[in-house]
């Protein structure tokens, strides 16, 4: 006979028991999220129909992404650029899949949300690569921007500081920009892992928004990290959007911002409403679990439409190279351009890595 886990034997404090007995409140309002099998047995036919429709919508978004991936494999000549576009265009599909898993496995909502947030954090770095590869690599981008006066008074950090001096891009400054976007991709998985470790010891509670909550301070830290990571990408985007107008860069950046708002801000608003009591308990869900359910349902619908728009914006035939191999021993008019070089050129050239970032 197995020993039940602590969450299988629900023990309520005396004040909660008094509320349950005096006001006839359901125990589900104070219980953890139901297990999947118990949830299915308690759902009405209408709820099952809604879940099935959202699951079908998620499956359709996966099919759309796979079709778009096949198109990119055939129509983008440079393999480095093609891989970057394939990975970053998967963001709405990944978030839709994790949200669908959160519907059917409500006890895993915290983990699937962490996985989606971690993948999207990597997209900050991938978006920077899209801009660099659109210039045909780091060297070509620096050559193009070395004579351009770049404005740094942009959002989300310095949009309120128009008096900031403009700057010229250098290799050292570009490395700072790379670190600014890469730190989001690095810190998000680390903090997520730390949150899971603290959660196993009862120290990480997504429902606790008090001033002493570890959950609150870790998320504030990630919020600051996200803002700092978006700033350098936004600066480079403002300079690159005209140069790469034929590559739909403006649409790609707008979709990236839409995913950021929908996956982060929307979730935070719903969590605050649930914590303030604006979202009521509805067995078998507590108020907080019901808020998470509503967020996942909205995300599935939203990411489906974002995925359709992503397919339209990324479906662009591109035969331009993703980086330019420079020959330091030859004049610039004899530089080789392209993703691959012949054996004879490779023997005589000293090349840089793709985009200088890989």
């Amino acid at each position: 006979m197995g020993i039940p886990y602590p969450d299988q034997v629900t023990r309520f404090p005396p004040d909660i028991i008094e509320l349950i007995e005096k006001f006839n409140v359901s125990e589900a309002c104070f219980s953890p999220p139901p297990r999947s099998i118990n949830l299915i047995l308690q759902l009405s036919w209408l709820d099952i129909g809604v879940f099935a429709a959202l699951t079908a919508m998620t499956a359709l978004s996966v099919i759309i992404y796979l079709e778009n991936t096949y198109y990119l494999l055939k129509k983008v000549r440079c393999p480095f650029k093609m891989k970057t576009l394939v990975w970053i265009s998967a963001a709405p599909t990944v978030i839709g899949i994790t949200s669908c898993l959160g519907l059917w496995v409500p006890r895993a909502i915290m983990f699937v949300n962490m996985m989606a947030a971690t993948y999207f954090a990597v997209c900050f770095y991938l978006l920077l690569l899209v801009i660099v590869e659109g210039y045909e690599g780091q060297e070509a981008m620096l050559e193009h921007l070395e004579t351009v006066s770049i404005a740094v008074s942009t959002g989300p950090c310095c949009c309120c500081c128009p008096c900031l001096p403009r700057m010229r891009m250098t290799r050292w400054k570009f490395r700072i920009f790379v670190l600014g976007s890469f730190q989001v991709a690095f810190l998000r998985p680390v903090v997520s892992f730390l949150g899971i470790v603290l959660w196993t010891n009862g120290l990480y509670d997504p429902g606790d928004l008090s001033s002493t909550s570890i959950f609150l301070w870790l998320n504030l830290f990630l919020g600051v990290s996200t803002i700092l990571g978006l700033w350098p990408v936004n600066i480079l985007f403002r300079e690159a959007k005209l140069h790469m107008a034929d590559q739909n860069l403006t649409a790609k950046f707008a979709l990236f911002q839409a995913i950021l708002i929908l996956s982060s801000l929307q979730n935070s608003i719903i969590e605050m409403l649930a914590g303030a009591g604006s979202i009521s308990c509805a067995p078998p869900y507590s108020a907080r679990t019901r808020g998470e359910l509503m967020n996942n349902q909205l995300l599935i619908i939203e990411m489906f439409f974002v995925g359709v728009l992503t397919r339209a914006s990324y479906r662009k035939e591109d035969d331009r190279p993703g980086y330019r191999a420079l020959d330091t021993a030859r004049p610039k008019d004899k530089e080789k351009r392209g993703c691959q070089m012949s054996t004879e050129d490779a023997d005589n050239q000293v090349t840089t890595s793709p985009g200088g970032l890989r």
Side-chain angles (χ1 to χ4, degrees):
M1 185 172 64
I3 300 176
Y5 288 98
D7 59 353
Q8 291 179 310
V9 182
T10 304
R11 296 185 177 89
F12 299 116
D15 56 338
I16 299 298
I17 295 178
E18 182 180 356
L19 287 175
I20 293 175
E21 294 177 348
K22 185 176 180 179
F23 298 100
N24 195 26
V25 180
S26 173
E27 292 186 4
C29 296
F30 308 98
S31 301
R35 297 184 181 277
S36 298
I37 185 63
N38 296 332
L39 173 65
I40 295 174
L41 295 176
Q42 296 180 64
L43 289 177
S44 64
W45 285 108
L46 178 60
D47 294 331
I48 293 178
V50 172
F51 277 36
L54 293 174
T55 303
M57 189 174 290
T58 303
L60 184 58
S61 68
V62 173
I63 295 174
I64 293 174
Y65 167 72
L66 293 177
E67 189 273 337
N68 184 56
T69 299
Y70 179 78
Y71 179 88
L72 294 175
L73 291 174
K74 295 294 184 181
K75 299 299 183 179
V76 179
R77 183 170 67 90
C78 178
F80 301 107
K81 184 183 294 187
M82 178 267 295
K83 291 176 183 178
T84 304
L85 294 176
V86 167
W87 280 102
I88 194 172
S89 63
T93 305
V94 171
I95 295 177
I97 292 174
T98 55
S99 300
C100 186
L101 289 175
L103 287 183
W104 294 103
V105 191
R107 290 201 174 192
I109 285 180
M110 184 179 72
F111 299 99
V112 296
N113 287 345
M114 285 182 174
M115 184 178 72
T118 299
Y119 187 91
F120 187 67
V122 177
C123 291
F124 278 77
Y125 182 65
L126 293 177
L127 184 59
L128 183 69
L129 287 183
V130 170
I131 296 175
V132 173
E133 292 168 355
Y135 276 110
E136 301 182 15
Q138 176 184 332
E139 300 296 338
M141 186 194 69
L142 293 176
E143 180 183 334
H144 179 82
L145 296 179
E146 64 182 359
T147 58
V148 177
S149 181
I150 301 176
V152 297
S153 55
T154 63
C157 290
C158 295
C159 54
C160 57
C161 303
C163 58
L164 287 177
R166 303 171 74 91
M167 73 171 192
R168 297 189 184 277
M169 182 61 67
T170 63
R171 191 179 302 275
W172 179 76
K173 292 176 183 177
F174 178 70
R175 288 175 180 172
I176 296 178
F177 278 35
V178 173
L179 290 176
S181 61
F182 183 76
Q183 54 89 19
V184 184
F186 174 76
L187 290 178
R188 173 70 68 169
V190 172
V191 174
S192 298
F193 176 76
L194 178 61
I196 293 175
V197 172
L198 295 176
W199 175 78
T200 59
N201 288 276
L203 300 176
Y204 186 88
D205 182 11
D208 183 10
L209 299 178
S210 63
S211 58
T212 59
S213 169
I214 296 179
F215 169 80
L216 176 64
W217 289 106
L218 285 180
N219 277 269
L220 286 176
F221 172 75
L222 288 178
V224 174
S225 171
T226 301
I227 292 174
L228 294 177
L230 186 60
W231 188 31
V233 175
N234 195 19
I235 292 174
L236 290 178
F237 163 73
R238 287 170 64 96
E239 298 299 326
K241 61 182 179 181
L242 296 179
H243 177 74
M244 286 180 269
D246 60 327
Q247 301 180 48
N248 293 335
L249 182 62
T250 301
K252 294 173 183 176
F253 189 71
L255 290 171
F256 177 84
Q257 290 181 312
I259 297 174
L260 176 62
I261 293 173
L262 293 174
S263 62
S264 300
L265 184 60
Q266 175 180 280
N267 185 36
S268 300
I269 293 175
I270 292 179
E271 283 184 352
M272 288 189 293
L273 291 176
S278 300
I279 298 177
S280 61
C281 167
Y285 303 107
S286 64
R288 183 168 66 86
T289 305
R290 189 181 175 209
E292 294 171 342
L293 173 71
M294 294 169 58
N295 180 58
N296 285 330
Q297 290 175 332
L298 289 173
L299 278 177
I300 291 175
I301 299 173
E302 293 160 351
M303 291 302 112
F304 172 78
F305 290 106
V306 172
V308 173
L309 295 175
T310 298
R311 175 186 178 274
S313 62
Y314 282 79
R315 195 176 180 84
K316 185 75 173 178
E317 185 173 354
D318 190 354
D319 58 355
R320 297 171 61 181
Y323 77 95
R324 187 175 70 189
L326 296 180
D327 181 7
T328 57
R330 295 184 180 183
K332 288 187 176 180
D333 58 350
K334 295 184 179 180
E335 289 174 359
K336 283 291 188 177
R337 294 176 179 263
C339 292
Q340 296 179 345
M341 296 188 301
S342 64
T343 306
E344 180 180 356
D345 292 332
D347 293 337
N348 298 323
Q349 281 192 306
V350 178
T351 61
T352 59
S353 61
L357 301 175
R358 299 179 185 274

